[in-house]
């Protein structure tokens, strides 16, 4: 039985930090981001490609395309408006099942603290969202709406040095998301 059991799935917040032009936003390095490809992928349930696009966008937001992974400082540098926009798209197109705020909620409900990595809680989180088991991390990624709550997006968390969930939770809290 899952530890994480929502009575009612989280719904998109009516008050968001999404810019007035929902298709494009300019991040802190003055780069224009077009969210149309991500929105099209999510609206057609192309979750694997949407997960790749989400990673591509975030890596570009912090100038880490060549490294292809993030560190804690990179997470801190993700612009709140962009993080909120990506999160809202995932929530909207998964009917509240996927998104960074869903993952944050699971991390905290498992006893995790924002900004603090704990290997035991990370292992529980990985099991809870259906990414695998302690010794088989990231072996069970599925890109279907039938995946467990918080299963997606996957690539951002797995491309952060150590583990991304606590640091994304901290950034979301800082951004009031």
């Amino acid at each position: 039985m899952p530890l994480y059991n929502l009575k009612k799935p989280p719904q998109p917040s009516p008050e968001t930090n999404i810019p007035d032009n929902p298709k494009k936003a300019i991040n802190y390095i003055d780069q224009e981001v077009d969210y149309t490809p991500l929105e099209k992928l999510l609206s057609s349930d192309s979750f694997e490609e949407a997960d790749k696009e989400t990673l591509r966008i975030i890596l570009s937001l912090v100038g880490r395309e060549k490294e292809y992974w993030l560190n804690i400082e990179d997470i801190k540098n993700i612009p709140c408006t962009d993080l909120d926009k990506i999160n809202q798209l995932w929530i909207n197109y998964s009917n509240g099942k996927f998104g960074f705020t869903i993952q944050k909620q699971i991390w905290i409900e498992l006893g995790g603290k924002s900004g603090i990595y704990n290997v035991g809680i990370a292992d529980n989180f990985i099991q809870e969202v259906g990414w695998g088991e302690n010794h088989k991390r990231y072996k069970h990624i599925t890109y279907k709406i039938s995946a467990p709550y918080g299963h997606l997006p996957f690539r951002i968390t797995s491309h952060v040095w150590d583990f991304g969930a606590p640091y994304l939770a901290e950034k979301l809290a800082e951004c009031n998301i």
Side-chain angles (χ1 to χ4, degrees):
M1 171 164 226
L3 296 171
Y4 182 75
N5 188 5
L6 290 173
K7 302 250 187 291
K8 180 181 175 199
Q11 298 299 309
S13 169
E15 294 181 27
T16 66
N17 296 322
I18 297 173
D20 290 337
N21 177 354
K23 300 294 183 199
K24 295 184 180 182
I26 298 176
N27 69 31
Y28 83 106
I29 56 175
D30 296 327
Q31 176 184 350
E32 195 172 88
V33 179
D34 183 359
Y35 288 97
T36 306
L38 178 59
E39 189 165 11
K40 284 180 180 177
L41 291 166
L42 287 168
S43 69
S44 65
D45 292 341
S46 299
F47 294 119
E48 184 169 8
E49 292 306 314
D51 195 28
K52 290 175 185 176
E53 178 66 6
T54 299
L55 177 62
R56 187 199 64 72
I57 290 170
I58 289 185
L59 289 170
S60 74
L61 289 170
V62 296
R64 298 288 288 189
E65 302 96 318
K66 290 179 184 170
E67 292 82 0
Y68 207 69
W69 60 275
L70 301 164
N71 60 37
I72 297 166
E73 284 304 310
D74 298 323
I75 297 292
K76 291 177 181 177
N77 288 327
I78 299 170
C80 292
T81 53
D82 293 288
L83 189 61
D84 190 35
K85 175 65 177 176
I86 293 166
N87 182 58
Q88 289 299 316
L89 287 171
W90 275 97
I91 289 172
N92 287 335
Y93 288 103
S94 69
N95 295 316
K97 195 167 189 182
F98 304 140
F100 297 127
T101 52
I102 308 300
Q103 293 173 347
K104 172 187 165 189
Q105 192 174 357
I106 294 169
W107 177 259
I108 290 168
E109 286 185 10
L110 290 171
K113 305 250 184 288
S114 295
I116 300 173
Y117 175 73
N118 177 300
V119 70
I121 294 171
D123 287 341
N124 290 338
F125 179 92
I126 288 165
Q127 285 182 302
E128 190 65 28
V129 298
W131 292 348
E133 298 179 23
N134 298 349
H135 59 287
K136 295 181 182 176
R137 283 183 163 204
Y138 313 138
K139 298 290 184 191
H140 303 306
I141 310 307
T142 184
Y143 291 98
K144 297 179 181 176
I145 196 68
S146 60
Y149 277 91
H151 192 77
L152 299 171
F154 160 72
R155 282 180 167 81
I156 294 301
T157 295
S158 67
H159 281 72
V160 174
W161 187 254
D162 276 341
F163 182 72
Y167 310 114
L168 282 166
E170 181 177 46
K171 180 64 179 184
L172 290 163
E174 175 191 310
C175 295
N176 294 315
I177 300 172

